[in-house]
Amino acid sequence: MIIGVILILFLYVFFSFVFTEQKNIHFHVPEGWPKPVYDFKQNRLTEKGFKLGSALFFDPILSRDNSISCASCHLSFTAFTHADHKLSHGINGRIGTRNSLTLINLAWNTSFMWDGGVNNLEVQAINPITNPSEMNHGLSNAVDALNASPRYRKMFYSVFKDSIITSQKLLKALAQYTSQLVSYNSKYDSVMRKEKNVSFTQNELNGYTLFKNHCASCHTEPLFTNYGFENNGLSMDTVLKDFGRMMITQDSKDAFKFKIPTLRNIEFSAPYFHDGRVNTLKDVINHYTSGIVVSASLSKQLQQPIILSEKNKKDLILFLKTLTDKYALYNQRFRYNYSETLTK
Amino acid sequence: MKKMVCLSCILFLLCISTYGQMQISFKPIFNKDSISVLKFYVSNVQILYRDGTKFKENNSFRLLDIEYIESFLIILNAPSKAIEKISFDVGIDSTTSVSGALDGDLDPIKGMYWAWHSGYINLKLEGKSKACSTISNEFHFHVGGYRSPFYALRRIDVPIVNQMGSSVAIQMNIALLLDKINLKQINNIMLPGKEAMQIADYLPQIFSNK
């Protein structure tokens, strides 16, 4: 009797080991950072899941005519945004209405898109896949295209133990990749961690003080956003007529409010603002010092003009450049072809 | 002895499998020419029996689609007894609405999901009415929303007066709903908001058991 019980227990342990050979990846939360918002319990991270997500991210198979992928508008070298494009273009060169956002530290995002209309990282990807100005593919067509691919069926099977691909599996796989695009190794981070031989220059330190006085209430450390929505005094583009957050809340108080974006890797995420209207950090700062358009919903933080000397503007930019994380931008793991190792 | 054990096991399993089944069939009432799309979610069904006991189904979401009329028949593994009241939600609750990518009837490919404005469409009703001064007299109602103050889910209570053994029919009076809506002014709803809330508010009045 006892031997029987021991045998059953042994077999149970043996088989559970065999069937769960996929190791979970531990999601690292940098010291002093808040708890991630994304619920990893609903999508246990695995190496194979990450590789599958990466393969999907770089594959134009998700677009109607096989011409563009997620990476077309979110390039790792440019902080996962679309460099040189104010507004990104989708299939057939159709132009969208907003500047593509950076895909960094998404696990902490409380909402997605410039208007915060999307409530969960997993469902965010439905938008670029289905938007007529982006991939213009029905979600079910994208799922069908994947199901028609023996390579993907194999890959999905290795991750989900099921070769029938559903939209849920597609979206969870993409989230495995995008949630792990974390950036916390900038010079700023090293200085904050008091690492040896790293310190701010005098100019950067002055920029940091200015930043804390003038910018940090919205672009709050350590993620450099408080995830709120504000009207930062940009004039309305008369062609795009974008009311921002108001389109989601139906509340006129939210007119012209947009998500406060993170400033991490801002050196490489040009052009700036929700419609990409300016190209340089200098122009961004000049907007805040002398370009604010007053309207009913203008941010409280911007009611008083920000006054900065030319030297202070330069120092502030030097500080912002300390938020560049080359380790994240040039990380092999985040690049195309990393996923290839999965099928070998 | 062994045979007895086997037999009782089989009997036990049989009992479990046939133990109570309730069939609820939804019967939409409308003018056939007037409706082209009717899809809605029925979730969290609860049955209150006349003997005071309850049957509750948590986290269950069913998409009823007139294109697939079999979806209008709901089978529950619930005891077959005299029913006092059946309650259910029309729509998807706010917790489920923020839970990421879901599957089954909640799969976004079912056409009941807003992508740019995350959330489920609780009820999709499209058709024609002479009261609409629109192209081909069409109306399109996509009723949903989980964010305050436009939370469009509605709990429906249907007192049961007419039960046929283990089956109950619930009438859904679409004709009455359309009568209540001022189609001249409201004929196109594609977003959560005041108008969607108004239609949601009519929903408890259109379900009945006669």
Side-chain angles (χ1 to χ4, degrees):
Chain A
M1 178 70 183
I2 292 168
I3 293 171
V5 170
I6 290 171
L7 192 67
I8 287 166
L9 275 175
F10 174 76
L11 285 175
Y12 173 74
V13 171
F14 177 71
F15 279 109
S16 58
F17 180 74
V18 168
F19 289 115
T20 57
E21 90 285 355
Q22 276 201 60
K23 264 189 252 152
N24 285 352
I25 297 177
H26 171 69
F27 184 81
H28 175 67
V29 179
E31 213 187 309
W33 283 33
K35 240 181 85 180
V37 172
Y38 183 60
D39 185 5
F40 288 101
K41 279 187 218 120
Q42 305 294 323
N43 192 13
R44 298 270 180 206
L45 299 179
T46 61
E47 189 58 22
K48 281 182 176 173
F50 176 83
K51 283 174 180 168
L52 172 59
S54 160
L56 292 163
F57 188 84
F58 288 97
D59 197 334
I61 191 170
L62 296 178
S63 65
R64 180 184 286 262
D65 60 359
N66 255 297
S67 63
I68 67 164
S69 70
C70 304
S72 301
C73 300
H74 298 283
L75 296 87
S76 65
F77 309 121
T78 55
F80 295 94
T81 65
H82 206 172
D84 278 345
H85 288 75
K86 288 183 183 0
L87 308 169
S88 294
H89 51 82
I91 72 163
N92 301 332
R94 288 181 202 155
I95 306 286
T97 60
R98 289 185 185 147
N99 181 16
S100 78
L101 277 159
T102 179
L103 304 187
I104 280 291
N105 301 333
L106 296 178
W108 284 269
N109 274 23
T110 52
S111 68
F112 298 83
M113 312 294 250
W114 279 103
D115 56 23
V118 176
N119 64 27
N120 188 299
L121 175 59
E122 290 172 10
V123 290
Q124 204 288 328
I126 303 172
N127 287 280
I129 294 172
T130 57
N131 190 319
S133 303
E134 297 180 58
M135 297 181 185
N136 192 22
H137 216 177
L139 186 58
S140 58
N141 299 347
V143 170
D144 289 347
L146 292 171
N147 271 314
S149 154
R151 174 173 164 255
Y152 272 113
R153 289 178 75 98
K154 214 170 128 187
M155 288 165 85
F156 273 88
Y157 181 81
S158 76
V159 175
F160 296 101
K161 297 290 166 252
D162 186 353
S163 62
I164 296 168
I165 300 161
T166 61
S167 78
Q168 186 187 40
K169 293 191 186 94
L170 160 63
L171 297 170
K172 287 209 186 267
L174 278 168
Q176 289 253 334
Y177 174 76
T178 52
S179 66
Q180 292 190 65
L181 302 173
V182 180
S183 171
Y184 58 92
N185 284 310
S186 62
K187 178 175 181 182
Y188 160 85
D189 295 298
S190 298
V191 172
M192 292 300 131
R193 288 195 290 257
K194 298 191 169 67
E195 283 170 20
K196 271 184 195 167
N197 307 324
V198 190
S199 58
F200 283 142
T201 64
Q202 205 50 51
N203 292 357
E204 288 166 351
L205 195 61
N206 181 40
Y208 184 36
T209 308
L210 293 164
F211 169 82
K212 284 195 282 193
N213 290 339
H214 298 294
C215 321
S217 57
C218 292
H219 296 286
T220 314
E221 298 166 74
L223 288 143
F224 290 87
T225 167
N226 64 6
Y227 297 106
F229 300 86
E230 294 286 354
N231 172 351
N232 67 345
L234 292 165
S235 58
M236 185 182 77
D237 184 292
T238 49
V239 177
L240 297 170
K241 291 197 180 70
D242 193 341
F243 286 83
R245 183 69 178 159
M246 188 182 111
M247 303 299 286
I248 303 301
T249 61
Q250 318 269 319
D251 187 342
S252 59
K253 284 193 211 97
D254 290 331
F256 311 119
K257 287 187 183 177
F258 290 90
K259 161 127 42 87
I260 296 162
T262 178
L263 302 184
R264 285 182 172 271
N265 300 303
I266 194 167
E267 180 182 3
F268 288 99
S269 64
Y272 304 107
F273 298 141
H274 66 273
D275 53 10
R277 69 177 69 183
V278 307
N279 285 318
T280 65
L281 287 173
K282 199 173 164 215
D283 291 339
V284 171
I285 289 169
N286 284 337
H287 164 74
Y288 286 109
T289 55
S290 54
I292 299 283
V293 175
V294 177
S295 67
S297 62
L298 179 66
S299 172
K300 273 185 197 142
Q301 318 291 340
L302 299 173
Q303 300 284 343
Q304 298 298 320
I306 295 172
I307 299 162
L308 295 173
S309 67
E310 285 308 304
K311 182 197 174 292
N312 279 348
K313 285 181 188 176
K314 279 182 187 155
D315 286 354
L316 184 53
I317 291 172
L318 286 171
F319 166 71
L320 291 175
K321 288 184 176 176
T322 71
L323 300 177
T324 296
D325 177 0
K326 293 236 160 100
Y327 177 81
L329 301 184
Y330 297 108
N331 192 341
Q332 283 295 339
R333 189 172 156 74
F334 298 162
R335 289 206 207 164
Y336 181 53
N337 275 347
Y338 181 76
S339 58
E340 288 303 303
T341 48
L342 176 64
T343 39
K344 276 171 197 162
Chain B
M1 181 63 192
K2 258 188 183 170
K3 265 186 190 169
M4 286 293 288
V5 173
C6 271
L7 260 175
S8 50
C9 275
I10 289 166
L11 271 174
F12 177 68
L13 287 173
L14 266 175
C15 282
I16 289 182
S17 60
T18 54
Y19 161 78
Q21 259 194 358
M22 285 300 312
Q23 297 190 351
I24 305 173
S25 55
F26 283 81
K27 308 269 187 213
I29 301 166
F30 56 85
N31 174 355
K32 277 215 171 102
D33 306 327
S34 65
I35 302 295
S36 52
V37 176
L38 172 60
K39 288 167 91 171
F40 62 103
Y41 281 107
V42 168
S43 41
N44 300 314
V45 181
Q46 188 177 322
I47 300 176
L48 175 66
Y49 294 99
R50 290 190 187 277
D51 62 10
T53 56
K54 272 182 193 171
F55 168 84
K56 215 172 155 185
E57 222 189 21
N58 289 327
N59 295 320
S60 77
F61 308 95
R62 290 187 174 82
L63 179 58
L64 277 58
D65 183 349
I66 200 85
E67 283 286 300
Y68 307 96
I69 193 67
E70 65 276 14
S71 65
F72 275 64
L73 178 68
I74 290 180
I75 298 171
L76 299 167
N77 284 319
S80 172
K81 296 187 287 188
I83 296 174
E84 174 89 36
K85 190 177 80 175
I86 293 178
S87 312
F88 54 90
D89 295 331
V90 171
I92 304 302
D93 62 87
S94 51
T95 311
T96 309
S97 299
V98 298
S99 299
L102 302 169
D103 62 357
D105 277 359
L106 294 176
D107 191 323
I109 68 170
K110 300 277 179 185
M112 295 292 276
Y113 193 78
W114 282 304
W116 65 281
H117 185 287
S118 305
Y120 285 90
I121 297 167
N122 296 337
L123 167 78
K124 216 180 220 188
L125 178 64
E126 296 179 6
K128 285 182 185 187
S129 165
K130 279 181 189 150
C132 303
S133 51
T134 53
I135 300 166
S136 327
N137 303 113
E138 284 180 12
F139 58 83
H140 301 261
F141 297 126
H142 296 185
V143 178
Y146 71 92
R147 285 175 220 256
S148 170
F150 300 124
Y151 188 36
L153 174 138
R154 291 294 178 275
R155 188 74 178 162
I156 314 287
D157 289 317
V158 185
I160 303 301
V161 290
N162 194 354
Q163 182 177 354
M164 301 275 286
S166 62
S167 53
V168 174
I170 291 177
Q171 289 82 33
M172 181 188 194
N173 198 335
I174 299 295
L176 176 67
L177 176 64
L178 291 174
D179 281 348
K180 286 182 178 289
I181 302 167
N182 181 357
L183 289 169
K184 239 179 212 161
Q185 281 169 10
I186 301 178
N187 43 47
N188 193 46
I189 300 177
M190 291 285 150
L191 276 174
K194 276 183 198 156
E195 291 182 341
M197 289 294 275
Q198 200 184 327
I199 293 191
D201 286 340
Y202 294 142
L203 295 177
Q205 304 164 39
I206 68 163
F207 292 93
S208 62
N209 166 258
K210 281 170 195 159

